[in-house]
Amino acid sequence: MEILTKKQQELLSRERELLNKLQITLVKYGIQEQDQKALAESIHQLDDFFLLVVVGEFNAGKSAFINALLGDKILLEGVTPTTTKVNILRYGEEQKLSSVSENVDVLVLKSPYLKEISIVDTPGTNAIIREHEEITSLFVPRSDLILFVTSADRPFTESERIFLEKIQAWGKKIVLVINKIDILEGPEALEEIEEFVAENAKKVLKTSPEIFPLSSLQALKAKGGEPSLWVESRFEALETYILETLDQESRLILKLLNPLGVGKHLSQQYSEFFENRLTMLKDDLALIGDVEDQLGIFQKDMLEGFQLRISEISKILLEMEQRGEDFFTEYIRLARIFDLVKKEKIQTIYEEQVVADVPDQVEGKVTAIIDWLVDNNLRQWQAITDHISSGRLKHKDRMVGDIGNFNYDRNRLITSIRDEANRVVDSYDKVREADEIARRSQNAVAATAAIGAGAVGLGTLVAVLATTMAADVTGILLAGVMAALGLFIIPTRRRNAKKEMRQKVKAMRDQLSESLSGHFNQEIERSLQEIRDTIKPYTRFVRSENEKNTTALKTLKKFNTEIINLSGEIESPGK
Ligand SMILES: Nc1nc2c(ncn2[C@@H]2O[C@H](COP(=O)(O)OP(=O)(O)O)[C@@H](O)[C@H]2O)c(=O)[nH]1
Ligand SMILES: [Mg+2]
């Protein structure tokens, strides 16, 4: 590069530092190799000569144009695609041709033009030979100035417009050449074409580029011995532009701007990736939020529903207690003295009237709770399936050429949740699930059986009472003090019996409610946990990707701002 002023040197070193950091960052994000190469080469290009790259459709006259510029038929011309390689023309004392890669040749020439500018001839854009376009495209990021050649006989074709858009994205300085003006009849035709090209170029580039209408054919002839054609060729304007307008300083500015343009392009392109991902992740987060909300509601509803069902069981027991009260009131009194002594009879009456079908009723209620739990559990899984297939998570096709495994991982996780939820729903066997729950809550269910035992316990209480009553009655008969029995002993017995029964029933109620609560809470937790475990890898992925992509986007936006600022400084170094 030319000798730099102190200010230029400072700008250059800042630029290198910034671009190197950007490169490291982008590599860390896993950018495509092709993009990484483009950036690396554009940075590398800072150390090289000013690179003027000539692009355009094949047959536009790119090679002819370069020949005219150098004043010699150096490059092959032809109506069929002649250049299949990129040709770099460099200055050197000794002329030689060497191949640097499969697609790139370097031609060293002793031409004064090349002392400050290296010129690149490209195979051009071509709808038929795609490879040529690729080769050309790969070279674009390295260029410091693009000379876009279009031909007067078919100016600004659709494929040229598309190609220009691509170049523009790299932030390149572009100059337009309308070649072959010698084939046009009259100045009106040229004016029309110029206007057409200018209009269309502006649409793509958003600014008006310099446009040079010329004839390479006439220019070369003029340089080769027919000077009368020089003015007509209108070649001089372009030469003046390249040699004078594009003086050392403006070339340096372009050179410094070149890799910044590439860096800006890439940071914007990858920002878009991350933005798109964050949009997708927003849907994921919303879905996870919905599912979480729903599971929360499920838990709350279940607990409430459970309390209600437990209180129904309590009610059954309370009713039994009431019947017990009535029983003791009815039977433990003087008038029943002869019934009381027949303890088996009393016990049977007690079990028939007080205990009755309480064990069956309670067991029925417990079974109902299990069924209700199983139903709701299934409904939760169905809700998950509905959520996942709500369409919100449909793959976004607009994301082309993603980097890393993001889309793959996301789709895989979503699919696995959907499959698992579907599997659970499809294979849900209510009977088996209920059995499972019953088995797991065996202790709680066993407590219901204990009511039977409890009833026996109370039966025993009655039996014991009856026996002691009988003893009392005997004693009383002997003592002959019936009054004392009616007034004192029997009421005390009755009171004690009631008290004891209340205590027993309460203990039964407490035990039952406690052990059922414990087990059913566990069951509810269990089913929630199963759902949460199923979606957990997805949740984890979404949260961590969201964080990663937010950071990446922020970082790239910062780079973008820094690049824009530095470009501004380079463009107006005075400020
Ligand atoms: N009439 C006319 N023909 C030209 C001009 N420049 C190039 N050509 C012809 O156009 C054809 C394609 O030129 P070439 O330089 O090979 O085009 P490239 O494919 O863009 O490199 C050749 O036959 C050239 O002789 C020009 O200014 N006027
Ligand atoms: Mg050519």
Side-chain angles (χ1 to χ4, degrees):
M1 204 185 280
E2 294 95 359
I3 293 154
L4 305 175
T5 65
K6 226 177 156 185
K7 173 73 185 166
Q8 287 165 340
Q9 256 165 4
E10 189 245 12
L11 286 171
L12 179 63
S13 72
R14 272 169 56 200
E15 173 170 349
R16 275 189 206 286
E17 199 187 325
L18 178 60
L19 291 169
N20 284 332
K21 270 199 258 169
L22 174 67
Q23 198 176 16
I24 292 167
T25 305
L26 287 174
V27 167
K28 197 179 81 191
Y29 292 157
I31 67 162
Q32 275 154 8
E33 203 186 316
Q34 183 187 319
D35 290 334
Q36 194 207 326
K37 225 167 134 189
L39 182 60
E41 277 176 2
S42 79
I43 297 172
H44 190 68
Q45 184 60 25
L46 278 170
D47 298 318
D48 211 335
F49 286 107
F50 187 83
L51 201 64
L52 181 132
V53 176
V54 182
V55 301
E57 256 177 28
F58 91 89
N59 213 30
K62 296 179 295 297
S63 302
F65 167 80
I66 296 170
N67 286 339
L69 198 64
L70 301 177
D72 203 349
K73 279 214 169 205
I74 287 158
L75 298 163
L76 222 59
E77 301 172 24
V79 281
T80 49
T82 40
T83 320
T84 57
K85 283 188 163 190
V86 167
N87 280 301
I88 305 175
L89 281 67
R90 281 188 190 290
Y91 183 80
E93 290 297 321
E94 258 175 70
Q95 180 161 337
K96 71 168 188 237
L97 178 72
S98 53
S99 195
V100 290
S101 75
E102 196 192 333
N103 295 320
V104 182
D105 279 353
V106 173
L107 183 56
V108 175
L109 291 171
K110 197 179 169 182
S111 166
Y113 260 104
L114 300 175
K115 275 194 166 163
E116 288 175 54
I117 301 173
S118 295
I119 300 174
V120 179
D121 190 20
T122 62
T125 60
N126 181 342
I128 304 157
I129 307 176
R130 275 272 157 244
E131 199 194 350
H132 287 184
E133 185 158 336
E134 265 168 45
I135 297 167
T136 303
S137 298
L138 283 176
F139 230 79
V140 167
R142 287 173 61 176
S143 66
D144 298 307
L145 173 68
I146 298 261
L147 237 135
F148 196 97
V149 181
T150 182
S151 175
D153 57 354
R154 41 168 177 74
F156 214 87
T157 60
E158 176 60 11
S159 81
E160 283 178 331
R161 187 189 63 76
I162 293 167
F163 190 60
L164 196 62
E165 253 170 13
K166 267 200 208 165
I167 304 172
Q168 151 81 356
W170 291 106
K172 297 291 169 180
K173 164 84 176 166
I174 300 165
V175 170
L176 258 58
V177 168
I178 303 172
N179 192 31
K180 306 192 190 180
I181 59 166
D182 56 285
I183 61 164
L184 299 172
E185 283 172 23
E188 294 86 23
L190 177 59
E191 209 172 291
E192 207 177 295
I193 288 174
E194 251 192 279
E195 232 170 74
F196 177 76
V197 171
E199 211 175 279
N200 284 288
K202 193 177 174 186
K203 263 188 222 157
V204 177
L205 303 175
K206 313 282 183 278
T207 58
S208 299
E210 285 95 346
I211 297 177
F212 297 95
L214 51 82
S215 164
S216 301
L217 187 80
Q218 290 172 330
L220 185 64
K221 278 185 187 165
K223 285 184 179 180
E226 289 178 63
S228 59
L229 289 172
W230 184 244
V231 174
E232 211 179 313
S233 79
R234 295 183 59 174
F235 209 78
E236 192 158 325
L238 182 101
E239 278 195 344
T240 310
Y241 177 81
I242 292 178
L243 296 177
E244 288 167 31
T245 315
L246 220 55
D247 59 4
Q248 266 202 14
E249 195 188 355
S250 28
R251 278 205 303 269
L252 179 70
I253 289 174
L254 284 181
K255 190 161 237 336
L256 289 176
L257 288 177
N258 163 36
L260 287 175
V262 174
K264 189 173 155 214
H265 171 61
L266 290 178
S267 63
Q268 276 168 353
Q269 182 186 322
Y270 285 96
S271 289
E272 241 169 74
F273 270 145
F274 296 131
E275 259 163 20
N276 280 341
R277 280 187 185 175
L278 286 169
T279 313
M280 283 171 111
L281 288 165
K282 223 185 242 165
D283 292 343
D284 292 293
L285 284 169
L287 181 106
I288 290 168
D290 285 355
V291 171
E292 278 297 335
D293 285 353
Q294 177 158 348
L295 293 182
I297 292 169
F298 169 68
Q299 185 163 25
K300 194 171 153 274
D301 284 355
M302 290 305 279
L303 291 179
E304 278 172 16
F306 180 70
Q307 282 317 317
L308 216 75
R309 283 162 173 81
I310 278 285
S311 65
E312 279 171 19
I313 293 179
S314 286
K315 204 173 136 233
I316 294 171
L317 294 175
L318 283 170
E319 280 164 6
M320 181 177 91
E321 192 185 318
Q322 188 54 55
R323 288 196 299 275
E325 293 265 343
D326 295 347
F327 172 84
F328 289 123
T329 309
E330 168 66 24
Y331 282 90
I332 304 184
R333 56 191 174 95
L334 202 53
R336 290 281 193 184
I337 196 86
F338 294 105
D339 286 328
L340 278 172
V341 292
K342 291 175 217 149
K343 64 174 181 181
E344 272 84 20
K345 188 184 169 203
I346 279 293
Q347 186 166 337
T348 309
I349 294 171
Y350 176 83
E351 279 175 7
E352 275 171 7
Q353 290 187 1
V354 181
V355 179
D357 64 345
V358 165
D360 286 349
Q361 273 191 53
V362 172
E363 207 168 312
K365 289 281 177 199
V366 171
T367 309
I369 292 178
I370 292 176
D371 288 345
W372 164 76
L373 196 69
V374 167
D375 276 344
N376 279 286
N377 201 8
L378 173 61
R379 215 164 291 145
Q380 280 315 294
W381 281 104
Q382 274 163 339
I384 299 293
T385 317
D386 290 349
H387 273 304
I388 295 282
S389 11
S390 65
R392 191 191 239 163
L393 297 180
K394 285 258 167 63
H395 183 72
K396 302 263 197 308
D397 292 328
R398 66 194 157 90
M399 263 189 89
V400 279
D402 191 29
I403 46 169
N405 284 335
F406 176 81
N407 271 326
Y408 172 79
D409 288 344
R410 178 175 180 268
N411 288 334
R412 188 176 53 79
L413 289 168
I414 291 170
T415 309
S416 90
I417 296 175
R418 201 188 37 227
D419 290 353
E420 175 61 10
N422 278 335
R423 191 192 64 73
V424 171
V425 170
D426 289 346
S427 64
Y428 211 81
D429 177 345
K430 287 191 188 181
V431 176
R432 202 199 57 220
E433 292 291 326
D435 283 352
E436 280 287 300
I437 292 177
R439 191 184 53 74
R440 280 197 297 270
S441 19
Q442 230 160 25
N443 289 339
V445 179
T448 65
I451 296 167
V456 172
L458 279 175
T460 317
L461 168 72
V462 174
V464 172
L465 267 174
T467 314
T468 53
M469 270 307 184
D472 284 339
V473 170
T474 322
I476 286 154
L477 285 177
L478 285 174
V481 277
M482 289 287 271
L485 186 66
L487 288 173
F488 180 66
I489 298 174
I490 291 183
T492 308
R493 294 279 177 197
R494 188 167 57 220
R495 214 167 31 245
N496 286 345
K498 283 183 180 177
K499 196 174 143 206
E500 204 165 325
M501 182 201 60
R502 269 199 301 272
Q503 278 168 355
K504 280 202 173 189
V505 175
K506 185 177 183 305
M508 199 190 298
R509 245 180 28 227
D510 288 352
Q511 194 210 341
L512 193 61
S513 138
E514 200 179 299
S515 87
L516 283 179
S517 288
H519 283 278
F520 283 106
N521 279 343
Q522 261 178 31
E523 284 301 327
I524 292 166
E525 284 292 343
R526 254 181 69 89
S527 56
L528 283 172
Q529 198 53 46
E530 248 169 67
I531 293 174
R532 288 203 173 102
D533 283 349
T534 304
I535 61 172
K536 196 192 232 154
Y538 170 66
T539 313
R540 203 186 294 132
F541 170 82
V542 169
R543 300 230 159 97
S544 94
E545 280 297 325
N546 193 53
E547 211 167 286
K548 262 199 279 184
N549 285 287
T550 307
T551 313
L553 184 62
K554 230 163 79 189
T555 309
L556 287 188
K557 287 247 154 94
K558 207 173 133 239
F559 269 116
N560 204 42
T561 314
E562 281 179 43
I563 289 172
I564 289 170
N565 290 343
L566 186 57
S567 301
E569 266 188 77
I570 289 168
E571 273 175 301
S572 41
K575 282 172 209 161

